[in-house]
Amino acid sequence: MSQRDIDRFERIIVPHMDDAYTLARYLLRDEHDAQDAVQDAVLRALRFFDGYRDGDPRAWLLAIVRNCCLTWQRRNKSGKTVIPLTDTAPIADDRETDTLAIQRSQREVLQRAVEALPIEFREVIVLREVEDLSYREISDVVGVPVGTVMSRLARARKRLANTLGMLAKEAG
Amino acid sequence: MKCAECRELLSGQVDNELMENESQDIQAHLAECAECAREHDALAATSQLLKQSLVRHSAPDVLKARIRSALAQPDVFEPPAVQRPKHSQWIRMAIACAAVAIISSGVTYEALTRGGGPRGVAEEVITSHVRSLMGGHLTDVISNNTHNVKPWFNGKVDLSPTVPNLDSIGFPLVGGRIDYVQGRAVATVVYSRRQHVINVYSWPHRAPNTDPVAAGSDKGYHLVEWRRDGIEQWAVSDLNTAELMDFARAFTASR
Protein backbone atom coordinates (compact mmCIF):
# COMPACT_ATOMS: atom_id res chain seq x y z
CA MET A 1 0.00 0.00 0.00
CA SER A 2 1.44 3.35 -1.04
CA GLN A 3 1.97 6.29 1.29
CA ARG A 4 -0.65 8.16 -0.73
CA ASP A 5 -3.28 5.52 0.02
CA ILE A 6 -2.40 5.64 3.70
CA ASP A 7 -2.70 9.44 3.68
CA ARG A 8 -6.10 9.17 2.02
CA PHE A 9 -7.14 6.55 4.56
CA GLU A 10 -6.09 8.82 7.40
CA ARG A 11 -8.05 11.68 5.87
CA ILE A 12 -11.38 9.95 5.23
CA ILE A 13 -11.53 6.94 7.57
CA VAL A 14 -9.54 7.75 10.71
CA PRO A 15 -11.72 10.79 11.64
CA HIS A 16 -14.60 8.39 12.38
CA MET A 17 -12.80 6.67 15.24
CA ASP A 18 -15.22 7.93 17.91
CA ASP A 19 -18.20 6.57 15.98
CA ALA A 20 -16.43 3.27 15.43
CA TYR A 21 -15.59 2.98 19.12
CA THR A 22 -19.13 3.94 20.17
CA LEU A 23 -20.62 1.19 18.02
CA ALA A 24 -18.13 -1.34 19.39
CA ARG A 25 -18.88 -0.30 22.97
CA TYR A 26 -22.60 -0.90 22.46
CA LEU A 27 -22.09 -4.19 20.66
CA LEU A 28 -19.49 -5.70 22.99
CA ARG A 29 -20.37 -3.87 26.23
CA ASP A 30 -16.73 -3.92 27.34
CA GLU A 31 -14.19 -1.15 26.88
CA HIS A 32 -11.16 -3.37 26.35
CA ASP A 33 -12.88 -5.68 23.90
CA ALA A 34 -14.21 -2.61 22.08
CA GLN A 35 -10.69 -1.18 21.76
CA ASP A 36 -9.30 -4.44 20.43
CA ALA A 37 -12.17 -4.87 17.99
CA VAL A 38 -11.84 -1.31 16.66
CA GLN A 39 -8.10 -1.67 16.21
CA ASP A 40 -8.70 -4.91 14.38
CA ALA A 41 -11.41 -3.28 12.25
CA VAL A 42 -9.30 -0.27 11.29
CA LEU A 43 -6.42 -2.45 10.15
CA ARG A 44 -8.82 -4.64 8.22
CA ALA A 45 -10.33 -1.52 6.68
CA LEU A 46 -6.84 -0.45 5.63
CA ARG A 47 -6.29 -3.81 3.98
CA PHE A 48 -9.59 -3.60 2.08
CA PHE A 49 -9.28 0.09 1.34
CA ASP A 50 -8.67 -0.63 -2.35
CA GLY A 51 -12.19 -2.03 -2.49
CA TYR A 52 -13.74 1.14 -1.11
CA ARG A 53 -14.96 3.32 -3.98
CA ASP A 54 -17.60 5.76 -2.95
CA GLY A 55 -20.55 5.93 -0.62
CA ASP A 56 -20.40 7.13 2.96
CA PRO A 57 -16.97 6.26 4.38
CA ARG A 58 -18.40 6.20 7.89
CA ALA A 59 -21.03 3.59 7.01
CA TRP A 60 -18.32 1.58 5.25
CA LEU A 61 -16.11 1.62 8.35
CA LEU A 62 -19.02 0.85 10.70
CA ALA A 63 -19.88 -2.24 8.64
CA ILE A 64 -16.34 -3.54 9.19
CA VAL A 65 -16.45 -2.64 12.88
CA ARG A 66 -19.72 -4.52 13.28
CA ASN A 67 -18.29 -7.62 11.61
CA CYS A 68 -15.19 -7.51 13.78
CA CYS A 69 -17.33 -7.14 16.90
CA LEU A 70 -19.43 -10.18 16.00
CA THR A 71 -16.30 -12.22 15.29
CA TRP A 72 -14.81 -11.01 18.55
CA GLN A 73 -17.92 -11.98 20.46
CA ARG A 74 -18.02 -15.44 18.92
CA ARG A 75 -14.37 -16.06 19.76
CA ASN A 76 -14.79 -14.88 23.36
CA LYS A 77 -17.43 -17.46 24.03
CA SER A 78 -17.53 -16.55 27.69
CA GLY A 79 -19.90 -13.78 26.46
CA LYS A 80 -20.49 -11.18 29.09
CA THR A 81 -23.96 -11.61 30.48
CA VAL A 82 -23.66 -8.90 33.08
CA ILE A 83 -25.13 -5.61 31.96
CA PRO A 84 -22.72 -2.97 33.21
CA LEU A 85 -24.05 0.19 34.74
CA THR A 86 -22.88 3.13 32.72
CA ASP A 87 -19.81 4.60 34.32
CA THR A 88 -21.03 8.08 33.47
CA ALA A 89 -24.00 7.88 35.85
CA PRO A 90 -23.73 11.05 37.91
CA ILE A 91 -24.29 11.15 41.64
CA ALA A 92 -27.62 12.58 42.74
CA ASP A 93 -27.53 16.24 43.62
CA ASP A 94 -29.95 17.71 46.16
CA ARG A 95 -30.17 21.02 44.35
CA GLU A 96 -31.38 19.32 41.22
CA THR A 97 -35.01 20.11 40.38
CA ASP A 98 -37.49 17.25 40.20
CA THR A 99 -37.90 17.63 36.46
CA LEU A 100 -34.16 17.33 35.93
CA ALA A 101 -33.98 14.34 38.24
CA ILE A 102 -36.77 12.61 36.33
CA GLN A 103 -35.07 13.32 33.01
CA ARG A 104 -31.80 12.01 34.33
CA SER A 105 -33.28 8.84 35.72
CA GLN A 106 -35.21 8.34 32.46
CA ARG A 107 -31.95 8.63 30.56
CA GLU A 108 -30.29 6.06 32.80
CA VAL A 109 -33.19 3.66 32.48
CA LEU A 110 -33.08 4.04 28.72
CA GLN A 111 -29.33 3.56 28.52
CA ARG A 112 -29.55 0.35 30.51
CA ALA A 113 -32.55 -0.84 28.54
CA VAL A 114 -30.67 -0.37 25.27
CA GLU A 115 -27.63 -2.21 26.62
CA ALA A 116 -29.90 -5.08 27.64
CA LEU A 117 -31.53 -5.45 24.21
CA PRO A 118 -30.72 -8.55 22.14
CA ILE A 119 -27.92 -7.67 19.74
CA GLU A 120 -30.06 -7.61 16.56
CA PHE A 121 -32.24 -4.91 18.12
CA ARG A 122 -29.39 -3.12 19.86
CA GLU A 123 -27.39 -2.67 16.68
CA VAL A 124 -30.21 -1.08 14.67
CA ILE A 125 -31.07 1.27 17.53
CA VAL A 126 -27.45 2.41 17.86
CA LEU A 127 -26.94 2.74 14.10
CA ARG A 128 -30.11 4.81 13.79
CA GLU A 129 -30.33 6.88 16.98
CA VAL A 130 -26.64 7.35 17.79
CA GLU A 131 -24.85 7.00 14.45
CA ASP A 132 -27.73 8.55 12.49
CA LEU A 133 -27.51 6.23 9.47
CA SER A 134 -30.29 5.94 6.87
CA TYR A 135 -32.28 2.71 6.51
CA ARG A 136 -30.35 1.98 3.31
CA GLU A 137 -27.02 2.36 5.12
CA ILE A 138 -28.17 0.29 8.10
CA SER A 139 -29.32 -2.38 5.67
CA ASP A 140 -25.82 -2.45 4.15
CA VAL A 141 -24.07 -2.52 7.51
CA VAL A 142 -26.22 -5.25 9.02
CA GLY A 143 -26.78 -7.17 5.79
CA VAL A 144 -30.58 -7.42 5.93
CA PRO A 145 -33.28 -5.89 3.68
CA VAL A 146 -34.54 -2.36 4.39
CA GLY A 147 -37.94 -3.79 5.39
CA THR A 148 -36.26 -5.86 8.10
CA VAL A 149 -34.40 -2.78 9.35
CA MET A 150 -37.74 -1.00 9.70
CA SER A 151 -39.47 -3.83 11.52
CA ARG A 152 -36.54 -4.41 13.88
CA LEU A 153 -36.43 -0.70 14.71
CA ALA A 154 -40.18 -0.78 15.33
CA ARG A 155 -39.95 -3.74 17.70
CA ALA A 156 -36.90 -2.38 19.51
CA ARG A 157 -38.50 1.03 20.04
CA LYS A 158 -41.69 -0.57 21.23
CA ARG A 159 -39.79 -2.51 23.86
CA LEU A 160 -38.01 0.64 24.98
CA ALA A 161 -41.25 2.63 25.04
CA ASN A 162 -42.73 -0.10 27.22
CA THR A 163 -39.76 0.13 29.56
CA LEU A 164 -40.38 3.83 29.95
CA GLY A 165 -44.08 3.22 30.50
CA MET A 166 -44.99 5.25 27.44
CA LEU A 167 -47.13 2.47 26.05
CA ALA A 168 -49.76 0.42 27.80
CA LYS A 169 -48.20 -3.01 28.34
CA GLU A 170 -49.12 -5.23 25.45
CA ALA A 171 -47.70 -8.30 23.81
CA GLY A 172 -44.94 -7.63 21.32
CA MET B 1 -55.58 1.82 5.47
CA LYS B 2 -55.94 -0.82 8.13
CA CYS B 3 -54.37 -0.50 11.58
CA ALA B 4 -52.12 -3.56 11.09
CA GLU B 5 -50.71 -2.07 7.90
CA CYS B 6 -50.20 1.29 9.58
CA ARG B 7 -48.38 -0.23 12.56
CA GLU B 8 -45.93 -1.92 10.24
CA LEU B 9 -44.93 1.41 8.70
CA LEU B 10 -45.01 3.59 11.80
CA SER B 11 -41.28 3.37 12.44
CA GLY B 12 -40.59 4.43 8.87
CA GLN B 13 -42.91 7.37 9.37
CA VAL B 14 -41.10 8.39 12.57
CA ASP B 15 -37.76 8.21 10.72
CA ASN B 16 -39.02 10.01 7.64
CA GLU B 17 -38.03 7.02 5.51
CA LEU B 18 -41.31 6.30 3.72
CA MET B 19 -42.32 7.07 0.15
CA GLU B 20 -44.35 10.25 -0.25
CA ASN B 21 -47.64 8.39 -0.92
CA GLU B 22 -47.12 5.91 1.95
CA SER B 23 -46.48 8.77 4.32
CA GLN B 24 -49.65 10.57 3.21
CA ASP B 25 -51.74 7.42 3.74
CA ILE B 26 -50.31 7.05 7.24
CA GLN B 27 -51.04 10.65 8.12
CA ALA B 28 -54.61 10.25 6.92
CA HIS B 29 -55.02 7.12 9.04
CA LEU B 30 -53.47 8.73 12.12
CA ALA B 31 -55.92 11.63 11.83
CA GLU B 32 -58.87 9.27 12.32
CA CYS B 33 -57.41 6.45 14.49
CA ALA B 34 -56.61 7.56 18.05
CA GLU B 35 -55.06 4.19 18.91
CA CYS B 36 -52.48 4.29 16.10
CA ALA B 37 -51.86 8.00 16.71
CA ARG B 38 -51.01 7.22 20.33
CA GLU B 39 -48.61 4.49 19.27
CA HIS B 40 -47.01 6.84 16.74
CA ASP B 41 -46.50 9.54 19.37
CA ALA B 42 -44.98 7.06 21.83
CA LEU B 43 -42.53 5.75 19.23
CA ALA B 44 -41.60 9.27 18.14
CA ALA B 45 -41.05 10.36 21.74
CA THR B 46 -38.95 7.27 22.45
CA SER B 47 -36.83 7.92 19.38
CA GLN B 48 -36.36 11.55 20.39
CA LEU B 49 -35.32 10.53 23.89
CA LEU B 50 -32.88 7.94 22.55
CA LYS B 51 -31.22 10.50 20.29
CA GLN B 52 -30.83 12.88 23.22
CA SER B 53 -29.74 10.50 25.90
CA LEU B 54 -27.70 7.58 24.56
CA VAL B 55 -24.03 7.93 25.49
CA ARG B 56 -21.65 8.74 22.66
CA HIS B 57 -18.18 7.46 23.49
CA SER B 58 -14.85 9.00 22.53
CA ALA B 59 -12.14 6.68 21.31
CA PRO B 60 -9.53 6.54 24.13
CA ASP B 61 -6.08 8.02 23.49
CA VAL B 62 -4.55 4.58 23.87
CA LEU B 63 -6.62 3.27 20.99
CA LYS B 64 -5.81 6.26 18.80
CA ALA B 65 -2.12 5.86 19.59
CA ARG B 66 -2.24 2.17 18.74
CA ILE B 67 -3.91 2.93 15.42
CA ARG B 68 -1.48 5.74 14.63
CA SER B 69 1.44 3.44 15.30
CA ALA B 70 -0.05 0.71 13.17
CA LEU B 71 -0.63 3.11 10.28
CA ALA B 72 2.91 4.37 10.55
CA GLN B 73 4.14 0.81 10.08
CA PRO B 74 1.36 -1.38 8.72
CA ASP B 75 3.76 -4.30 8.23
CA VAL B 76 4.51 -4.84 11.89
CA PHE B 77 0.88 -5.23 12.80
CA GLU B 78 -0.07 -8.44 14.42
CA PRO B 79 -3.71 -9.15 15.25
CA PRO B 80 -4.19 -9.02 19.01
CA ALA B 81 -4.59 -12.37 20.70
CA VAL B 82 -7.98 -13.05 22.19
CA GLN B 83 -7.42 -15.29 25.16
CA ARG B 84 -8.15 -13.78 28.52
CA PRO B 85 -6.50 -14.97 31.72
CA LYS B 86 -8.40 -17.49 33.74
CA HIS B 87 -9.63 -17.08 37.27
CA SER B 88 -6.88 -19.24 38.74
CA GLN B 89 -4.33 -16.75 37.42
CA TRP B 90 -6.28 -13.99 39.09
CA ILE B 91 -6.05 -15.70 42.43
CA ARG B 92 -2.35 -16.42 42.03
CA MET B 93 -1.80 -12.80 41.12
CA ALA B 94 -3.71 -11.65 44.18
CA ILE B 95 -1.63 -13.86 46.46
CA ALA B 96 1.56 -12.63 44.86
CA CYS B 97 0.47 -9.03 45.31
CA ALA B 98 -0.32 -9.60 48.96
CA ALA B 99 3.06 -11.25 49.50
CA VAL B 100 4.88 -8.37 47.91
CA ALA B 101 2.92 -5.84 49.95
CA ILE B 102 3.98 -7.56 53.17
CA ILE B 103 7.62 -7.95 52.18
CA SER B 104 7.97 -4.51 50.64
CA SER B 105 6.73 -2.65 53.69
CA GLY B 106 10.00 -3.61 55.38
CA VAL B 107 12.10 -2.58 52.44
CA THR B 108 10.40 0.72 51.73
CA TYR B 109 12.41 2.63 54.30
CA GLU B 110 15.65 1.54 52.73
CA ALA B 111 14.38 2.35 49.26
CA LEU B 112 13.26 5.81 50.30
CA THR B 113 16.55 6.70 51.93
CA ARG B 114 18.49 5.53 48.92
CA GLY B 115 17.58 8.73 47.09
CA GLY B 116 15.92 9.23 43.76
CA GLY B 117 18.80 8.39 41.46
CA PRO B 118 20.34 10.83 39.03
CA ARG B 119 17.93 13.62 38.20
CA GLY B 120 18.81 13.48 34.53
CA VAL B 121 17.32 10.05 34.03
CA ALA B 122 13.93 11.06 35.43
CA GLU B 123 13.76 14.04 33.14
CA GLU B 124 14.78 12.05 30.12
CA VAL B 125 12.26 9.32 30.85
CA ILE B 126 9.41 11.84 31.09
CA THR B 127 10.53 13.57 27.90
CA SER B 128 10.64 10.25 26.12
CA HIS B 129 7.17 9.37 27.45
CA VAL B 130 5.68 12.64 26.18
CA ARG B 131 7.38 12.18 22.82
CA SER B 132 5.90 8.70 22.49
CA LEU B 133 2.38 10.07 22.96
CA MET B 134 2.74 12.83 20.39
CA GLY B 135 4.08 11.27 17.27
CA GLY B 136 3.24 8.04 15.57
CA HIS B 137 5.83 6.21 17.60
CA LEU B 138 4.31 4.61 20.64
CA THR B 139 5.04 1.05 19.58
CA ASP B 140 7.30 -0.77 17.13
CA VAL B 141 5.56 -4.05 17.83
CA ILE B 142 1.85 -4.05 18.59
CA SER B 143 0.45 -6.96 20.51
CA ASN B 144 -1.40 -7.66 23.70
CA ASN B 145 0.33 -11.00 23.89
CA THR B 146 3.36 -11.26 26.18
CA HIS B 147 4.82 -14.04 24.05
CA ASN B 148 4.97 -11.79 21.00
CA VAL B 149 6.46 -8.73 22.64
CA LYS B 150 9.25 -10.28 24.73
CA PRO B 151 11.08 -12.11 21.91
CA TRP B 152 10.74 -9.08 19.67
CA PHE B 153 13.47 -7.39 21.72
CA ASN B 154 15.97 -10.20 21.07
CA GLY B 155 19.11 -8.85 19.48
CA LYS B 156 17.85 -5.27 19.56
CA VAL B 157 18.86 -4.38 23.12
CA ASP B 158 21.32 -5.76 25.63
CA LEU B 159 18.74 -7.43 27.86
CA SER B 160 15.48 -9.33 27.75
CA PRO B 161 12.94 -7.12 29.52
CA THR B 162 10.23 -8.55 31.74
CA VAL B 163 6.84 -8.46 30.01
CA PRO B 164 4.29 -9.79 32.51
CA ASN B 165 0.67 -10.31 31.56
CA LEU B 166 -1.29 -7.86 33.72
CA ASP B 167 -4.50 -7.89 31.71
CA SER B 168 -6.45 -9.58 34.48
CA ILE B 169 -5.85 -6.69 36.86
CA GLY B 170 -6.73 -4.04 34.32
CA PHE B 171 -3.36 -3.18 32.76
CA PRO B 172 -3.55 -4.59 29.22
CA LEU B 173 -0.34 -4.81 27.23
CA VAL B 174 -0.20 -2.54 24.17
CA GLY B 175 3.18 -3.40 22.68
CA GLY B 176 6.86 -2.51 22.78
CA ARG B 177 9.43 -0.29 21.13
CA ILE B 178 13.04 0.74 21.26
CA ASP B 179 13.64 4.20 22.65
CA TYR B 180 16.71 6.26 23.45
CA VAL B 181 17.46 7.32 27.01
CA GLN B 182 20.85 8.55 28.24
CA GLY B 183 22.29 8.01 24.80
CA ARG B 184 21.56 4.31 24.47
CA ALA B 185 18.88 2.02 23.01
CA VAL B 186 16.43 1.06 25.72
CA ALA B 187 13.74 -1.62 25.72
CA THR B 188 10.36 0.00 26.31
CA VAL B 189 7.21 -1.96 27.06
CA VAL B 190 3.85 -0.20 26.78
CA TYR B 191 0.77 -0.90 28.92
CA SER B 192 -2.49 0.93 29.32
CA ARG B 193 -4.99 1.69 32.06
CA ARG B 194 -8.31 3.10 30.84
CA GLN B 195 -7.20 5.99 28.58
CA HIS B 196 -3.76 6.26 30.16
CA VAL B 197 -0.56 5.02 28.59
CA ILE B 198 2.17 3.53 30.81
CA ASN B 199 5.69 3.25 29.42
CA VAL B 200 8.13 0.91 31.19
CA TYR B 201 11.81 1.50 30.41
CA SER B 202 14.39 -1.20 31.18
CA TRP B 203 18.17 -1.17 31.20
CA PRO B 204 20.87 -3.27 32.87
CA HIS B 205 22.00 -2.30 36.35
CA ARG B 206 24.34 -4.03 38.78
CA ALA B 207 22.80 -2.76 42.02
CA PRO B 208 20.81 -5.12 44.27
CA ASN B 209 17.04 -5.51 43.99
CA THR B 210 14.86 -2.67 45.25
CA ASP B 211 11.09 -2.48 45.46
CA PRO B 212 9.04 0.05 43.50
CA VAL B 213 9.33 3.55 44.85
CA ALA B 214 7.70 6.77 43.65
CA ALA B 215 10.60 8.53 41.98
CA GLY B 216 9.08 11.91 41.31
CA SER B 217 6.47 13.80 39.33
CA ASP B 218 6.75 16.51 36.73
CA LYS B 219 4.25 18.28 34.45
CA GLY B 220 1.50 15.90 35.58
CA TYR B 221 3.52 12.75 34.87
CA HIS B 222 4.54 10.36 37.61
CA LEU B 223 7.54 8.08 37.87
CA VAL B 224 8.04 4.82 39.72
CA GLU B 225 11.39 3.04 39.76
CA TRP B 226 12.59 -0.39 40.87
CA ARG B 227 15.39 -2.92 40.28
CA ARG B 228 15.04 -6.63 39.74
CA ASP B 229 17.62 -9.25 38.78
CA GLY B 230 20.11 -6.87 37.25
CA ILE B 231 17.53 -4.72 35.47
CA GLU B 232 16.53 -1.21 36.46
CA GLN B 233 13.02 -0.27 35.38
CA TRP B 234 11.16 3.02 35.28
CA ALA B 235 7.42 3.27 34.79
CA VAL B 236 6.02 6.62 33.70
CA SER B 237 2.44 7.71 33.14
CA ASP B 238 -0.11 10.45 33.74
CA LEU B 239 -1.99 7.84 35.76
CA ASN B 240 -2.25 8.76 39.44
CA THR B 241 0.63 7.66 41.64
CA ALA B 242 -1.42 5.16 43.68
CA GLU B 243 -2.49 3.21 40.60
CA LEU B 244 0.96 3.48 39.09
CA MET B 245 2.37 1.96 42.28
CA ASP B 246 -0.22 -0.84 42.05
CA PHE B 247 0.97 -1.42 38.53
CA ALA B 248 4.63 -1.50 39.58
CA ARG B 249 3.96 -3.94 42.42
CA ALA B 250 2.04 -6.29 40.17
CA PHE B 251 4.76 -5.95 37.53
CA THR B 252 7.54 -6.91 39.93
CA ALA B 253 5.44 -9.64 41.56
CA SER B 254 4.80 -11.60 38.38
CA ARG B 255 7.76 -13.33 36.94
Side-chain angles (χ1 to χ4, degrees):
Chain A
M1 172 163 269
S2 72
Q3 189 55 45
R4 249 185 78 203
D5 287 337
I6 293 179
D7 290 347
R8 190 167 151 259
F9 184 86
E10 280 188 51
R11 208 172 55 245
I12 69 175
I13 300 296
V14 173
H16 304 300
M17 225 36 67
D18 289 347
D19 292 331
Y21 180 67
T22 296
L23 177 62
R25 276 292 292 263
Y26 277 99
L27 294 187
L28 295 173
R29 300 186 293 209
D30 178 274
E31 59 178 308
H32 297 298
D33 288 352
Q35 284 187 32
D36 289 344
V38 169
Q39 181 181 336
D40 199 10
V42 170
L43 287 140
R44 218 177 279 191
L46 183 65
R47 216 172 304 147
F48 300 145
F49 195 44
D50 282 345
Y52 168 73
R53 289 279 169 271
D54 41 19
D56 183 34
R58 203 165 60 100
W60 181 77
L61 175 65
L62 291 179
I64 299 174
V65 169
R66 180 212 177 241
N67 287 340
C68 285
C69 286
L70 296 195
T71 313
W72 206 256
Q73 205 181 32
R74 268 195 298 273
R75 273 193 284 176
N76 284 339
K77 282 205 202 66
S78 58
K80 297 178 178 61
T81 46
V82 182
I83 308 302
L85 294 177
T86 55
D87 45 14
T88 49
I91 295 155
D93 182 342
D94 292 341
R95 290 163 301 181
E96 200 171 54
T97 67
D98 287 351
T99 329
L100 274 179
I102 290 165
Q103 280 176 0
R104 190 171 55 77
S105 82
Q106 225 176 15
R107 273 205 300 274
E108 283 166 26
V109 168
L110 206 53
Q111 181 77 30
R112 250 170 285 170
V114 167
E115 283 171 5
L117 284 175
I119 194 155
E120 67 269 24
F121 292 145
R122 205 182 333 137
E123 64 183 3
V124 292
I125 285 289
V126 172
L127 290 171
R128 177 69 202 179
E129 310 289 29
V130 182
E131 309 284 9
D132 203 26
L133 296 192
S134 70
Y135 282 14
R136 177 80 256 161
E137 289 168 333
I138 298 175
S139 140
D140 288 344
V141 169
V142 178
V144 298
V146 169
T148 309
V149 171
M150 182 155 68
S151 66
R152 281 189 190 168
L153 269 172
R155 290 174 64 190
R157 283 188 182 135
K158 207 161 167 183
R159 278 193 187 212
L160 296 168
N162 279 332
T163 310
L164 291 173
M166 283 181 169
L167 278 174
K169 270 267 191 276
E170 46 186 310
Chain B
M1 178 178 264
K2 295 208 174 67
C3 287
E5 203 184 332
C6 171
R7 297 289 170 102
E8 235 166 70
L9 295 172
L10 268 186
S11 225
Q13 174 72 8
V14 167
D15 289 319
N16 217 356
E17 285 266 359
L18 296 183
M19 306 291 239
E20 189 61 38
N21 58 333
E22 280 176 327
S23 177
Q24 279 165 4
D25 290 350
I26 297 266
Q27 278 166 23
H29 179 80
L30 292 182
E32 57 196 31
C33 175
E35 190 81 353
C36 286
R38 208 164 51 87
E39 174 117 357
H40 171 271
D41 292 350
L43 291 181
T46 306
S47 168
Q48 196 56 34
L49 208 53
L50 286 165
K51 282 184 174 41
Q52 288 166 1
S53 43
L54 288 183
V55 174
R56 287 162 166 79
H57 297 278
S58 305
D61 288 346
V62 170
L63 174 62
K64 289 185 190 157
R66 274 157 63 175
I67 287 170
R68 270 202 310 270
S69 297
L71 289 181
Q73 287 157 299
D75 300 341
V76 302
F77 171 71
E78 210 182 310
V82 285
Q83 71 273 20
R84 287 265 188 263
K86 298 196 181 62
H87 284 289
S88 59
Q89 281 172 281
W90 240 107
I91 292 164
R92 250 181 287 150
M93 184 82 74
I95 294 169
C97 287
V100 166
I102 293 161
I103 297 162
S104 64
S105 58
V107 188
T108 309
Y109 173 76
E110 195 233 54
L112 284 172
T113 48
R114 184 168 49 80
R119 176 116 189 94
V121 179
E123 274 169 19
E124 272 200 49
V125 165
I126 288 181
T127 309
S128 161
H129 175 75
V130 174
R131 205 169 45 223
S132 76
L133 298 177
M134 289 193 325
H137 196 76
L138 180 62
T139 47
D140 289 325
V141 56
I142 302 170
S143 174
N144 61 4
N145 187 339
T146 301
H147 304 293
N148 296 334
V149 174
K150 193 174 164 67
W152 180 84
F153 286 105
N154 286 343
K156 296 191 176 71
V157 286
D158 47 2
L159 56 77
S160 177
T162 27
V163 187
N165 182 346
L166 304 176
D167 211 0
S168 60
I169 52 164
F171 295 102
L173 181 63
V174 178
R177 72 170 185 282
I178 303 290
D179 214 319
Y180 290 88
V181 176
Q182 303 257 298
R184 63 186 160 180
V186 167
T188 311
V189 183
V190 187
Y191 288 83
S192 69
R193 172 75 149 190
R194 299 187 298 273
Q195 297 91 324
H196 307 279
V197 170
I198 304 169
N199 273 307
V200 181
Y201 299 82
S202 307
W203 51 75
H205 202 288
R206 274 193 303 261
N209 288 355
T210 56
D211 281 311
V213 53
S217 301
D218 193 21
K219 305 183 194 84
Y221 299 100
H222 307 291
L223 289 162
V224 173
E225 184 260 57
W226 64 88
R227 291 173 196 155
R228 273 289 180 286
D229 306 332
I231 300 178
E232 177 169 307
Q233 293 177 305
W234 291 69
V236 54
S237 177
D238 60 341
L239 188 64
N240 63 69
T241 312
E243 280 184 280
L244 192 57
M245 282 299 284
D246 289 344
F247 168 80
R249 288 189 199 104
F251 192 103
T252 49
S254 59
R255 304 258 87 190

